[in-house]
Amino acid sequence: MTSHSLDPLLKPASIALLGASAKDASPGQVLCDMVLNSDFAGKVYLVNPRYESIVDHRCYPDLKSLPETVDHVVLAVGNERLEQALADAIAHGAKAATIYTSCYLDNDSEPPLKQRLSDMAGKAGVAICGGNGMGVYNVAHDLYAGIFPKPGKVQKGGISYIAQSGSAFTTFPHNGCRLGFNLAVSSGNEMVTTVADYMDWSLTQDDTRVIGLFLEAVRDPIAFVAALDKAVQKEIPVVVLKIGKSPLSAKMALTHTGAIAGDHAAYEALFRKYGVIEVSDFDEMAATLMILQHSQQTGPGELATLQESGGFRELVTDIAHELGVEFAEIAASTKAAIQTHLDPGLEAENPLDVWGSRDRFEERFLACTRLLMDDPNVAAGIFFSNFRDGYYISEAIYRVMETVSREASKPVVMANCYSDLAHNDFCRQSNDSGFAFIDGTREALLAVKHLFAYRDFKSHKNDRISFPTTDKSMVEKWRTRLQKISGALSEVDAMSLLSDFSIPVPRHAVVDNEQDLLLAAQDIGYPVVLKTAVPDVNHKSDVGGVIVNIEEEPQLLEHYRDLARRLGADVLLSQMIGKGTEVGLGIINDPQFGPLVMVAAGGVLIELLSERSVALAPVSTSEADELIKSLKLNKLINGIRGQAAGNRQGLIEIVAALSVMAFELKDCIKEIDINPVIVNQGSAVAVDALVITRF
């Protein structure tokens, strides 16, 4: 394995504990206890001028007194001593440091302490874990550099867990025995070394199977995206619990798109692009990590479940329906074989109620589980029960699952329908045997759903790299034009922009008098739509500035005169597109991750319905298809209750073309609202557009 710039921090050959202490329960004492009483094979030096020795280990007065230059210095000192301590570590020649304190001083000078430390470390090329963190555990190499007591043994395994919160850091390694780690990091305020750096290091370790992140913010977007891309290439899943999803204030957004997307939209789009598994809480995260640390290889197909209760089967079925988890349609031959092992009155189906009587129940459970897992339509299996230590039925099911997990090439899971159970023995045994044991029906089903989503992402990732082509000269033409416009484009300019990027728009004309209006109407053909074209009216419907379905000349003149009187003589006259499904499309140019494309219900429903789907631009037609498919809106486009299906392919091509346009002009465009695109049987046409420049 090649060396990495974070090896001195995360895999040091030697470490100095500056601030080591013998005082009970002090940070320095806890640190000494954790490092000295582990199996860390590197050299450990204690540094504190107040002691000659601590627990039979020599204590040095300062770093200059050490017999060698260490890789990593842990700074277990207060904020007031921190600046000098880091300066001493850098002068000593250390290439890494861990800082636990907040790095804030009362009545501090400018720049503040945190910035001074960051500048000092950056100039010297020193990696820093923290500050305001709880340290780092290299579990694979038995290094525990923390200041809060941990349990006796942290389970070893393939999870690299990086948390920006100290409490989140201890949640998994300090509790339970079903998750195994090679690395656990409390990254703190990341004044030098960020989540992206820890991810990159983890992705170079042979024992990393999955990365888990507790994420508050991304401090280095470019490096973070690079780490996600590296994870995709290495096929190492990334599971993220992202907090801070407060909605974007509507008054801060200039378009409907910005108002309804919310602050989390950029992360949703980023995670979609790189196949990141986003979870909602620690239980869901733990369940997902439990499966992924043991078994990520699963073929096509859906879920099979067994229950030793008809009531549990109904519970599982209800929750699966709510979560959108599909059950495998097992083959007729599988059903026939299972039926021979069931008691009278039970039906061979999936989900399967397998309990009938005590008669040879373990033998029957084993036979039915094997048959389900052998079915070609089954990709993973769960046995739902309430497993408790010392209960003969639970012990029998465990033996069944242990046997099948060794035989099957697919993931098998034991899951409880209730969590307050005494089952520590089962927790240890299942982890040692290499299969997941999950508390909670919902958590188990969500974990399998995430497993399948990651499988599908991997199988289709090559479909995501083909984008519509653009004429580079036309891109430069628009870049030059947009740089001269501050705020919103006129609607006719917006329509021209869309048209140049192969997005269909209605025939239209801009006029400012009745004679030209009537001539334009004859050229376009009735029915027509009349809109105000006066400057600085971004949302025309809000001021009564849009009249649709005008079918004859007298009606057109009447509405034009009203608009001219109320809002001004300048109007846009356009072709009336036939009825269809109204779709809202939008672009938001995120300052960290670039332009995002959003698909939602259109027309007046765009702000009433919370449903929307987002992706990082550019998107391929395959990705555009996925965006549309993820919405209930898709059913309307496909036609329901006798309604003719709309031109779905046309909409797909518009979404892809819009995303390419936004990507090519990302330095010029801030937001775009296309509301609506009308999708009917013959066409998909953008009938209204608002484009806001970045100038």
Side-chain angles (χ1 to χ4, degrees):
M1 186 187 301
T2 59
S3 61
H4 191 280
S5 61
L6 288 195
D7 281 349
L9 178 67
L10 302 178
K11 195 166 56 176
S14 55
I15 189 168
L17 312 183
L18 182 61
S21 175
K23 182 180 178 181
D24 277 351
S26 67
Q29 187 272 331
V30 173
L31 174 66
C32 284
D33 181 66
M34 291 179 71
V35 175
L36 296 176
N37 292 321
S38 68
D39 294 324
F40 176 56
K43 295 286 187 66
V44 180
Y45 298 98
L46 310 186
V47 181
N48 192 327
R50 292 184 296 174
Y51 299 94
E52 292 186 359
S53 67
I54 297 175
V55 289
D56 299 326
H57 285 73
R58 179 180 175 181
C59 197
Y60 293 85
D62 50 42
L63 293 172
K64 291 183 292 186
S65 305
L66 299 183
E68 64 173 314
T69 300
V70 299
D71 291 336
H72 183 165
V73 177
V74 179
L75 306 179
V77 298
N79 287 327
E80 67 281 354
R81 296 175 54 198
L82 200 50
E83 191 166 8
Q84 186 60 53
L86 180 59
D88 291 345
I90 291 172
H92 170 73
K95 289 300 178 185
T98 292
I99 296 175
Y100 304 112
T101 58
S102 66
C103 306
Y104 286 97
L105 292 173
D106 290 336
N107 303 312
D108 199 3
S109 59
E110 288 293 333
L113 175 61
K114 178 182 170 183
Q115 188 62 53
R116 298 198 300 272
L117 296 172
S118 177
D119 292 344
M120 191 188 310
K123 184 177 180 180
V126 171
I128 292 183
C129 180
N132 198 31
M134 293 177 64
V136 57
Y137 298 169
N138 185 330
V139 183
H141 292 266
D142 299 295
L143 173 63
Y144 298 94
I147 55 171
F148 286 84
K150 68 172 180 64
K153 193 77 171 178
V154 175
Q155 189 76 29
K156 291 185 178 182
I159 301 171
S160 291
Y161 178 55
I162 305 152
Q164 291 179 325
S165 158
S167 296
F169 163 72
T170 60
T171 295
F172 292 144
H174 285 201
N175 299 285
C177 58
R178 285 177 276 182
L179 295 174
F181 302 89
N182 64 352
L183 177 73
V185 175
S186 170
S187 63
N189 60 29
E190 300 180 4
M191 59 188 183
V192 175
T193 308
T194 69
V195 162
D197 299 317
Y198 296 118
M199 290 174 66
D200 188 77
W201 183 87
S202 297
L203 290 166
T204 67
Q205 306 305 300
D206 293 338
D207 54 359
T208 300
R209 290 184 56 78
V210 56
I211 293 175
L213 305 178
F214 183 90
L215 195 62
E216 296 172 348
V218 171
R219 296 182 173 92
D220 188 343
I222 294 174
F224 187 69
V225 169
L228 292 180
D229 186 62
K230 191 171 185 176
V232 171
Q233 302 310 315
K234 288 181 168 286
E235 295 194 350
I236 293 177
V238 178
V239 182
V240 175
L241 175 50
K242 174 69 178 70
I243 61 171
K245 301 179 184 179
S246 59
L248 183 70
S249 172
K251 67 182 180 181
M252 297 296 292
L254 297 175
T255 65
H256 294 295
T257 299
I260 70 173
D263 284 344
H264 193 58
Y267 286 100
E268 287 182 52
L270 181 70
F271 296 164
R272 177 190 290 273
K273 184 175 182 68
Y274 292 100
V276 173
I277 300 167
E278 186 176 12
V279 296
S280 299
D281 55 38
F282 286 116
D283 289 324
E284 184 182 347
M285 188 176 204
T288 305
L289 292 173
M290 282 178 201
I291 287 185
L292 292 172
Q293 71 178 344
H294 291 306
S295 181
Q296 300 167 13
Q297 302 304 318
T298 182
E302 304 296 343
L303 176 65
T305 69
L306 302 93
Q307 294 76 207
E308 38 86 28
S309 160
F312 281 5
R313 182 184 65 176
E314 294 303 315
L315 174 68
V316 169
T317 303
D318 287 346
I319 296 176
H321 175 74
E322 175 190 337
L323 298 176
V325 177
E326 299 291 336
F327 291 101
E329 181 60 45
I330 57 176
S333 57
T334 303
K335 292 180 181 180
I338 288 175
Q339 196 67 59
T340 65
H341 298 284
L342 298 179
D343 280 0
L346 295 178
E347 183 178 351
E349 58 187 347
N350 179 35
L352 177 64
D353 177 7
V354 74
W355 177 264
S357 67
R358 298 186 186 186
D359 181 39
R360 299 182 298 105
F361 73 90
E362 184 173 344
E363 177 186 330
R364 290 185 286 105
F365 284 8
L366 178 58
C368 292
T369 306
R370 278 173 166 160
L371 287 165
L372 279 174
M373 295 307 296
D374 285 342
D375 190 282
N377 295 325
V378 171
I382 306 177
F383 203 125
F384 284 99
S385 183
N386 279 332
F387 297 92
R388 67 178 190 269
D389 294 340
Y391 181 43
Y392 74 100
I393 293 179
S394 298
E395 291 172 342
I397 298 173
Y398 175 79
R399 289 190 293 269
V400 166
M401 299 301 285
E402 185 180 38
T403 298
V404 175
S405 72
R406 290 196 305 266
E407 299 172 348
S409 59
K410 307 168 184 177
V412 295
V413 178
M414 280 188 357
N416 286 318
C417 293
Y418 178 58
S419 59
D420 188 13
L421 298 164
H423 52 34
N424 286 340
D425 290 344
F426 282 133
C427 293
R428 285 189 290 270
Q429 291 167 11
S430 62
N431 188 69
D432 291 344
S433 296
F435 64 91
F437 176 34
I438 298 172
D439 286 334
T441 310
R442 188 177 302 274
E443 287 74 16
L445 291 169
L446 281 170
V448 169
K449 182 177 182 179
H450 294 318
L451 173 69
F452 290 169
Y454 184 68
R455 169 201 66 188
D456 295 343
F457 170 80
K458 288 194 299 181
S459 66
H460 293 104
K461 65 182 180 182
N462 291 333
D463 299 339
R464 300 165 176 262
I465 57 177
S466 178
F467 311 112
T469 58
T470 56
D471 181 340
K472 296 302 180 183
S473 63
M474 184 262 293
V475 171
E476 286 306 314
K477 178 193 79 171
W478 274 105
R479 183 173 287 118
T480 301
R481 286 186 62 182
L482 292 169
Q483 287 171 351
K484 299 174 181 177
I485 300 173
S486 177
L489 271 66
S490 68
E491 187 168 2
V492 68
D493 282 345
M495 289 294 186
S496 178
L497 172 64
L498 298 185
S499 182
D500 279 352
F501 279 86
S502 302
I503 298 172
V505 299
R507 297 191 303 275
H508 59 275
V510 175
V511 298
D512 61 3
N513 60 77
E514 294 184 8
Q515 181 179 358
D516 289 344
L517 175 74
L518 297 179
L519 289 173
Q522 291 175 10
D523 183 56
I524 292 170
Y526 290 96
V528 293
V529 177
L530 186 65
K531 303 179 187 180
T532 181
V534 297
D536 302 322
V537 180
N538 290 340
H539 302 295
K540 300 175 177 61
S541 295
D542 294 348
V543 295
V546 179
I547 300 96
V548 301
N549 203 30
I550 301 172
E551 297 184 337
E552 56 186 5
E553 185 175 298
Q555 186 183 11
L556 175 61
L557 287 172
E558 177 186 352
H559 288 302
Y560 174 74
R561 289 164 182 166
D562 174 63
L563 284 182
R565 177 182 56 80
R566 291 189 296 110
L567 300 173
D570 294 340
V571 296
L572 175 71
L573 189 71
S574 65
Q575 170 192 11
M576 178 73 188
I577 302 300
K579 290 184 178 180
T581 302
E582 294 189 350
V583 180
L585 303 182
I587 296 294
I588 307 168
N589 207 334
D590 182 77
Q592 283 191 308
F593 303 116
L596 325 175
V597 59
M598 185 192 79
V599 184
V604 296
L605 296 179
I606 193 168
E607 289 177 313
L608 294 177
L609 299 180
S610 59
E611 186 185 50
R612 87 286 188 279
S613 194
V614 291
L616 281 182
V619 301
S620 65
T621 53
S622 174
E623 289 177 281
D625 181 29
E626 291 175 11
L627 286 172
I628 298 164
K629 193 180 296 180
S630 69
L631 301 171
K632 295 175 183 176
L633 180 73
N634 189 51
K635 294 181 179 179
L636 293 175
I637 297 169
N638 286 332
I640 58 173
R641 296 189 177 182
Q643 176 181 313
N647 186 352
R648 192 173 182 280
Q649 184 60 36
L651 177 62
I652 289 172
E653 292 170 2
I654 288 176
V655 173
L658 176 66
S659 76
V660 169
M661 181 187 81
F663 182 78
E664 294 284 4
L665 298 173
K666 59 182 179 291
D667 54 338
C668 300
I669 292 177
K670 180 179 181 181
E671 295 180 44
I672 298 176
D673 227 14
I674 303 178
N675 183 29
V677 173
I678 295 180
V679 184
N680 54 35
Q681 193 172 7
S683 63
V685 181
V687 300
D688 188 85
L690 171 61
V691 178
I692 309 293
T693 72
R694 300 185 69 175
F695 307 107

